[in-house]
mmCIF file of all heavy atoms in Angstrom:
data_model
loop_
_atom_site.group_PDB
_atom_site.id
_atom_site.type_symbol
_atom_site.label_atom_id
_atom_site.label_comp_id
_atom_site.label_asym_id
_atom_site.label_seq_id
_atom_site.Cartn_x
_atom_site.Cartn_y
_atom_site.Cartn_z
ATOM 1 N N ALA D 329 -66.883 15.669 18.055
ATOM 2 C CA ALA D 329 -67.412 15.821 19.412
ATOM 3 C C ALA D 329 -67.913 17.244 19.648
ATOM 4 O O ALA D 329 -68.972 17.452 20.249
ATOM 5 C CB ALA D 329 -66.333 15.460 20.433
ATOM 6 N N ILE D 330 -67.155 18.234 19.164
ATOM 7 C CA ILE D 330 -67.575 19.632 19.330
ATOM 8 C C ILE D 330 -68.926 19.855 18.661
ATOM 9 O O ILE D 330 -69.848 20.438 19.245
ATOM 10 C CB ILE D 330 -66.515 20.586 18.745
ATOM 11 C CG1 ILE D 330 -65.247 20.563 19.605
ATOM 12 C CG2 ILE D 330 -67.064 22.012 18.671
ATOM 13 C CD1 ILE D 330 -64.092 21.339 19.005
ATOM 14 N N ILE D 331 -69.052 19.392 17.421
ATOM 15 C CA ILE D 331 -70.302 19.596 16.685
ATOM 16 C C ILE D 331 -71.438 18.799 17.313
ATOM 17 O O ILE D 331 -72.595 19.253 17.341
ATOM 18 C CB ILE D 331 -70.122 19.215 15.204
ATOM 19 C CG1 ILE D 331 -69.045 20.098 14.587
ATOM 20 C CG2 ILE D 331 -71.412 19.366 14.449
ATOM 21 C CD1 ILE D 331 -69.250 21.580 14.822
ATOM 22 N N LEU D 332 -71.137 17.617 17.843
ATOM 23 C CA LEU D 332 -72.169 16.823 18.519
ATOM 24 C C LEU D 332 -72.729 17.582 19.707
ATOM 25 O O LEU D 332 -73.953 17.670 19.889
ATOM 26 C CB LEU D 332 -71.579 15.486 18.970
ATOM 27 C CG LEU D 332 -72.517 14.592 19.798
ATOM 28 C CD1 LEU D 332 -73.700 14.166 18.952
ATOM 29 C CD2 LEU D 332 -71.769 13.372 20.317
ATOM 30 N N PHE D 333 -71.834 18.177 20.507
ATOM 31 C CA PHE D 333 -72.296 18.920 21.678
ATOM 32 C C PHE D 333 -73.075 20.172 21.267
ATOM 33 O O PHE D 333 -74.062 20.532 21.901
ATOM 34 C CB PHE D 333 -71.099 19.310 22.560
ATOM 35 C CG PHE D 333 -70.505 18.155 23.309
ATOM 36 C CD1 PHE D 333 -69.166 17.844 23.186
ATOM 37 C CD2 PHE D 333 -71.288 17.377 24.148
ATOM 38 C CE1 PHE D 333 -68.610 16.782 23.873
ATOM 39 C CE2 PHE D 333 -70.742 16.306 24.844
ATOM 40 C CZ PHE D 333 -69.397 16.006 24.706
ATOM 41 N N VAL D 334 -72.636 20.832 20.197
ATOM 42 C CA VAL D 334 -73.343 22.027 19.732
ATOM 43 C C VAL D 334 -74.717 21.660 19.179
ATOM 44 O O VAL D 334 -75.735 22.275 19.527
ATOM 45 C CB VAL D 334 -72.523 22.769 18.655
ATOM 46 C CG1 VAL D 334 -73.351 23.878 18.024
ATOM 47 C CG2 VAL D 334 -71.253 23.353 19.255
ATOM 48 N N ALA D 335 -74.756 20.658 18.304
ATOM 49 C CA ALA D 335 -76.009 20.281 17.649
ATOM 50 C C ALA D 335 -77.034 19.744 18.652
ATOM 51 O O ALA D 335 -78.231 20.033 18.549
ATOM 52 C CB ALA D 335 -75.736 19.240 16.561
ATOM 53 N N ALA D 336 -76.558 18.961 19.613
ATOM 54 C CA ALA D 336 -77.465 18.392 20.615
ATOM 55 C C ALA D 336 -77.784 19.381 21.724
ATOM 56 O O ALA D 336 -78.650 19.113 22.567
ATOM 57 C CB ALA D 336 -76.852 17.119 21.206
ATOM 58 N N ASN D 337 -77.056 20.531 21.729
ATOM 59 C CA ASN D 337 -77.246 21.567 22.753
ATOM 60 C C ASN D 337 -77.098 20.985 24.155
ATOM 61 O O ASN D 337 -77.819 21.366 25.089
ATOM 62 C CB ASN D 337 -78.620 22.231 22.601
ATOM 63 C CG ASN D 337 -78.693 23.566 23.320
ATOM 64 O OD1 ASN D 337 -77.661 24.188 23.581
ATOM 65 N ND2 ASN D 337 -79.891 23.999 23.658
ATOM 66 N N VAL D 338 -76.161 20.052 24.287
ATOM 67 C CA VAL D 338 -75.951 19.403 25.580
ATOM 68 C C VAL D 338 -75.513 20.416 26.622
ATOM 69 O O VAL D 338 -76.018 20.445 27.744
ATOM 70 C CB VAL D 338 -74.895 18.276 25.444
ATOM 71 C CG1 VAL D 338 -74.529 17.717 26.809
ATOM 72 C CG2 VAL D 338 -75.432 17.170 24.553
ATOM 73 N N THR D 339 -74.548 21.280 26.246
ATOM 74 C CA THR D 339 -74.029 22.248 27.218
ATOM 75 C C THR D 339 -75.112 23.257 27.598
ATOM 76 O O THR D 339 -75.194 23.688 28.752
ATOM 77 C CB THR D 339 -72.812 22.983 26.646
ATOM 78 O OG1 THR D 339 -73.144 23.512 25.351
ATOM 79 C CG2 THR D 339 -71.648 22.035 26.477
ATOM 80 N N GLY D 340 -75.951 23.652 26.609
ATOM 81 C CA GLY D 340 -77.026 24.592 26.920
ATOM 82 C C GLY D 340 -78.013 23.994 27.916
ATOM 83 O O GLY D 340 -78.473 24.673 28.836
ATOM 84 N N ARG D 341 -78.323 22.720 27.751
ATOM 85 C CA ARG D 341 -79.253 22.059 28.671
ATOM 86 C C ARG D 341 -78.644 21.938 30.060
ATOM 87 O O ARG D 341 -79.329 22.116 31.068
ATOM 88 C CB ARG D 341 -79.625 20.684 28.135
ATOM 89 C CG ARG D 341 -80.473 20.751 26.854
ATOM 90 C CD ARG D 341 -80.696 19.378 26.262
ATOM 91 N NE ARG D 341 -81.440 19.455 25.013
ATOM 92 C CZ ARG D 341 -81.684 18.428 24.231
ATOM 93 N NH1 ARG D 341 -81.250 17.218 24.572
ATOM 94 N NH2 ARG D 341 -82.367 18.592 23.111
ATOM 95 N N LEU D 342 -77.336 21.634 30.100
ATOM 96 C CA LEU D 342 -76.665 21.542 31.401
ATOM 97 C C LEU D 342 -76.670 22.895 32.102
ATOM 98 O O LEU D 342 -76.900 22.983 33.304
ATOM 99 C CB LEU D 342 -75.228 21.049 31.216
ATOM 100 C CG LEU D 342 -75.070 19.586 30.787
ATOM 101 C CD1 LEU D 342 -73.594 19.266 30.533
ATOM 102 C CD2 LEU D 342 -75.624 18.650 31.859
ATOM 103 N N MET D 343 -76.414 23.971 31.313
ATOM 104 C CA MET D 343 -76.439 25.321 31.887
ATOM 105 C C MET D 343 -77.833 25.657 32.407
ATOM 106 O O MET D 343 -77.987 26.225 33.501
ATOM 107 C CB MET D 343 -76.011 26.345 30.833
ATOM 108 C CG MET D 343 -74.537 26.291 30.483
ATOM 109 S SD MET D 343 -74.176 27.268 29.012
ATOM 110 C CE MET D 343 -74.766 28.882 29.531
ATOM 111 N N GLY D 344 -78.874 25.305 31.635
ATOM 112 C CA GLY D 344 -80.241 25.580 32.064
ATOM 113 C C GLY D 344 -80.610 24.813 33.325
ATOM 114 O O GLY D 344 -81.240 25.357 34.235
ATOM 115 N N LYS D 345 -80.195 23.558 33.390
ATOM 116 C CA LYS D 345 -80.483 22.742 34.565
ATOM 117 C C LYS D 345 -79.771 23.300 35.783
ATOM 118 O O LYS D 345 -80.328 23.363 36.885
ATOM 119 C CB LYS D 345 -80.048 21.295 34.299
ATOM 120 C CG LYS D 345 -80.402 20.339 35.426
ATOM 121 C CD LYS D 345 -80.018 18.913 35.064
ATOM 122 C CE LYS D 345 -80.396 17.950 36.190
ATOM 123 N NZ LYS D 345 -80.016 16.564 35.851
ATOM 124 N N PHE D 346 -78.502 23.741 35.571
ATOM 125 C CA PHE D 346 -77.738 24.315 36.675
ATOM 126 C C PHE D 346 -78.416 25.587 37.188
ATOM 127 O O PHE D 346 -78.526 25.821 38.392
ATOM 128 C CB PHE D 346 -76.313 24.629 36.213
ATOM 129 C CG PHE D 346 -75.475 25.343 37.247
ATOM 130 C CD1 PHE D 346 -74.939 24.655 38.313
ATOM 131 C CD2 PHE D 346 -75.257 26.716 37.147
ATOM 132 C CE1 PHE D 346 -74.185 25.315 39.271
ATOM 133 C CE2 PHE D 346 -74.504 27.383 38.095
ATOM 134 C CZ PHE D 346 -73.958 26.679 39.167
ATOM 135 N N SER D 347 -78.897 26.428 36.246
ATOM 136 C CA SER D 347 -79.552 27.683 36.626
ATOM 137 C C SER D 347 -80.824 27.406 37.410
ATOM 138 O O SER D 347 -81.117 28.074 38.404
ATOM 139 C CB SER D 347 -79.859 28.518 35.389
ATOM 140 O OG SER D 347 -78.680 28.839 34.704
ATOM 141 N N ARG D 348 -81.616 26.394 36.958
ATOM 142 C CA ARG D 348 -82.855 26.068 37.666
ATOM 143 C C ARG D 348 -82.569 25.549 39.068
ATOM 144 O O ARG D 348 -83.239 25.921 40.021
ATOM 145 C CB ARG D 348 -83.648 25.038 36.869
ATOM 146 C CG ARG D 348 -84.301 25.611 35.605
ATOM 147 C CD ARG D 348 -85.321 24.646 35.041
ATOM 148 N NE ARG D 348 -84.720 23.396 34.635
ATOM 149 C CZ ARG D 348 -84.212 23.173 33.423
ATOM 150 N NH1 ARG D 348 -84.245 24.133 32.517
ATOM 151 N NH2 ARG D 348 -83.678 22.000 33.114
ATOM 152 N N ASN D 349 -81.544 24.685 39.184
ATOM 153 C CA ASN D 349 -81.186 24.150 40.499
ATOM 154 C C ASN D 349 -80.717 25.262 41.434
ATOM 155 O O ASN D 349 -81.029 25.295 42.598
ATOM 156 C CB ASN D 349 -80.104 23.093 40.359
ATOM 157 C CG ASN D 349 -80.635 21.829 39.701
ATOM 158 O OD1 ASN D 349 -81.834 21.579 39.682
ATOM 159 N ND2 ASN D 349 -79.740 21.027 39.152
ATOM 160 N N LYS D 350 -79.933 26.178 40.825
ATOM 161 C CA LYS D 350 -79.433 27.285 41.628
ATOM 162 C C LYS D 350 -80.572 28.170 42.099
ATOM 163 O O LYS D 350 -80.629 28.610 43.257
ATOM 164 C CB LYS D 350 -78.427 28.096 40.799
ATOM 165 C CG LYS D 350 -77.683 29.143 41.602
ATOM 166 C CD LYS D 350 -76.629 29.823 40.735
ATOM 167 C CE LYS D 350 -75.878 30.870 41.544
ATOM 168 N NZ LYS D 350 -74.838 31.546 40.742
ATOM 169 N N GLY D 351 -81.551 28.431 41.191
ATOM 170 C CA GLY D 351 -82.713 29.224 41.552
ATOM 171 C C GLY D 351 -83.550 28.543 42.616
ATOM 172 O O GLY D 351 -84.048 29.169 43.551
ATOM 173 N N GLY D 352 -83.659 27.193 42.519
ATOM 174 C CA GLY D 352 -84.417 26.441 43.509
ATOM 175 C C GLY D 352 -83.783 26.495 44.868
ATOM 176 O O GLY D 352 -84.444 26.597 45.892
#
Side-chain angles (χ1 to χ4, degrees):
I330 291 173
I331 299 309
L332 175 64
F333 287 124
V334 171
N337 198 22
V338 172
T339 51
R341 292 174 183 174
L342 290 175
M343 289 168 58
K345 184 177 181 180
F346 175 77
S347 299
R348 287 193 298 272
N349 290 340
K350 189 175 180 180

